Amino acid sequence: MTGDATQRHDAESERTMLRRAAPAGVAEPLVHLLDLEAAEGVAARRVTIGPAPLTIGRAPGSGLALPSQDVSRAHCVLAIEGDAVVVTDLGSTNGTIVDGRPAAGPTRLAPGARLRLGPFTLVYRSGRAGDLARAEGVERDLDRAGRYLAALLPPPIPDGPVRADWRFVPSAKIGGDGFGYGWLDDRRFAVWLLDVSGHGAGSALLAASVMNVLRARSLPGVDFADPAAVLAAANERFQMDAQGGLYFSIWYGVFDPATRLLAFGCAGQHPAFLVAGGGGTPAPLWLKNPAIGLTPDWSYRRAEVAIPAAARLHLFSDGAFEVETADGRQLTIHDILPHLGEPPVPGLAEPERLLRTVRGLARPGPLDDDVSILTLDFH
């Protein structure tokens, strides 16, 4: 897939299917599992935690061997205590990270807890066999929805008066990020980024619907070169009362290379940021308007800005800055702004540079929300 989209591993063929029900009147026993996510050439797999303690480490004889120098030979051990599983670090060099925090002494795992050992992530699951089987079915459906959303994203544009590249990292819980761009005609280029409220299949479905409408320009009688008209028509079509209580924020812009004017509007969305050629302080491009679906018959506003040669426009979802650091601090948009004007790294695409910055700021482990980072270069 283009754009270096990061997709969750599809491990349907590798998972243990838990469908056998207990006889009537007999309670199903609790099952304790570890799902190893694919990393560093190691395939995803599932491990059952049985009555005997499970040792994890680099040593080949470990109950679960993880081949990386960042994993100690005997890294940690997991043992069942009552109805729970407890993990104990065995004095490893890099520690055992549980949900973003080092395990200090024996640590009880909640279902869904994520363990980080060096480059590897393991997810703890616990429940009755039938319940786990149903949960697996829901998870596969969400994975398919996430792959469908990713398939709607446009390919990068490496050449021309407007060049575009992006990175998209879906979170563990599928969200509602979406973006797109393209030429409306031979002289005007449109770009947008949206974020649907909430998480789950409903948010993903609404994001897909909006993206398809914008890609196909299927709002009757609307001039898609006018951001205010696009936002007003989308607001009329996607009122939250008809969308299961969901709404979305969006930034929408149209660039004319002949005049070098960028017309834009935003609805409930934080600014896009314009960086002049050569770097410098990012300029926020923003207007105060409510999100789409909240208020019927709203008169959305638009603005215009002149784009200097060699300027760069950054659009990103709030998942790129609403992250938690290793010490528990919650970041805001102001924490990422200083990084937007930094010099480019030779051989590294700008969205990839920013994504690495986000991951460096965030606590270890998966990001809590979808991350969309889109960069346009104007020549």
Side-chain angles (χ1 to χ4, degrees):
M1 174 171 173
T2 58
D4 192 28
T6 304
Q7 300 182 8
R8 295 176 61 191
H9 182 76
D10 184 0
E12 291 181 25
S13 61
E14 301 169 10
R15 292 185 179 275
T16 303
M17 301 308 295
L18 304 167
R19 291 177 175 161
R20 183 177 299 170
V26 178
E28 291 182 305
L30 277 175
V31 178
H32 303 280
L33 306 168
L34 273 183
D35 284 339
L36 170 64
E37 297 182 350
E40 288 200 353
V42 175
R45 58 179 294 198
R46 168 165 283 179
V47 178
T48 300
I49 305 171
L54 173 68
T55 301
I56 303 177
R58 192 176 73 249
S62 302
L64 176 58
L66 300 178
S68 171
Q69 292 301 314
D70 292 326
V71 176
S72 297
R73 290 184 59 81
H75 199 104
C76 66
V77 61
L78 286 83
I80 298 175
E81 295 186 6
D83 288 341
V85 166
V86 173
V87 61
T88 303
D89 187 80
L90 298 176
S92 65
T93 301
N94 295 315
T96 300
I97 310 301
V98 179
D99 289 333
R101 293 177 172 81
T107 301
R108 183 186 179 101
L109 299 180
R114 303 179 73 86
L115 283 69
R116 185 80 176 177
L117 284 68
F120 300 101
T121 297
L122 301 106
V123 182
Y124 168 63
R125 304 187 189 279
S126 175
R128 309 296 176 185
D131 293 337
L132 288 174
R134 287 186 288 272
E136 283 183 348
V138 172
E139 186 173 316
R140 286 194 298 274
D141 288 342
L142 291 176
D143 282 342
R144 293 188 187 100
R147 290 195 297 272
Y148 174 67
L149 266 178
L152 297 179
L153 301 177
I157 301 177
D159 299 300
V162 182
R163 303 176 185 182
D165 200 358
W166 52 265
R167 295 295 184 271
F168 171 61
V169 183
S171 65
K173 299 182 294 182
I174 186 172
D177 278 14
F179 55 86
Y181 47 75
W183 291 96
L184 298 176
D185 48 37
D186 59 358
R187 65 182 185 87
R188 292 174 297 185
F189 186 91
V191 57
W192 64 88
L193 185 144
L194 63 92
D195 188 358
V196 178
S197 61
H199 292 90
S203 297
L205 287 172
L206 179 53
S209 296
V210 178
M211 290 172 68
N212 280 321
V213 164
L214 295 176
R215 285 176 2 135
R217 302 175 211 161
S218 56
L219 293 170
V222 173
D223 179 4
F224 276 80
D226 181 357
V230 172
L231 297 182
N235 187 54
E236 181 179 356
R237 179 159 178 172
F238 293 103
Q239 278 295 300
M240 63 183 297
D241 292 344
Q243 305 298 328
L246 296 174
Y247 58 92
F248 64 92
S249 59
I250 183 172
W251 193 99
Y252 185 97
V254 178
F255 176 63
D256 184 341
T259 64
R260 300 204 65 84
L261 290 177
L262 173 68
F264 68 92
C266 53
Q269 181 77 344
H270 58 266
F273 290 91
L274 183 67
V275 179
T281 302
L285 305 185
W286 184 78
L287 287 170
K288 185 177 182 180
N289 287 306
I292 302 296
L294 292 180
T295 306
D297 303 321
W298 186 267
S299 296
Y300 285 88
R301 298 181 298 139
R302 54 169 277 173
E304 287 186 347
V305 61
I307 303 296
R312 172 170 284 166
L313 184 68
H314 294 287
L315 295 92
F316 43 85
S317 62
D318 56 13
F321 58 84
E322 290 182 350
V323 298
E324 186 177 335
T325 64
D327 60 3
R329 186 167 65 94
Q330 187 72 38
L331 301 185
T332 70
I333 194 170
H334 300 290
D335 293 290
I336 197 172
L337 293 186
H339 301 281
L340 298 183
E342 291 178 350
V345 177
L348 190 65
E350 184 66 5
E352 180 64 25
R353 181 186 72 82
L354 292 175
L355 177 59
R356 294 184 185 186
T357 297
V358 171
R359 283 180 162 151
L361 293 171
R363 67 184 184 185
L367 299 166
D368 293 330
D369 199 357
D370 290 353
V371 175
S372 298
I373 301 174
L374 170 59
T375 299
L376 299 186
D377 287 307
F378 302 96
H379 292 266

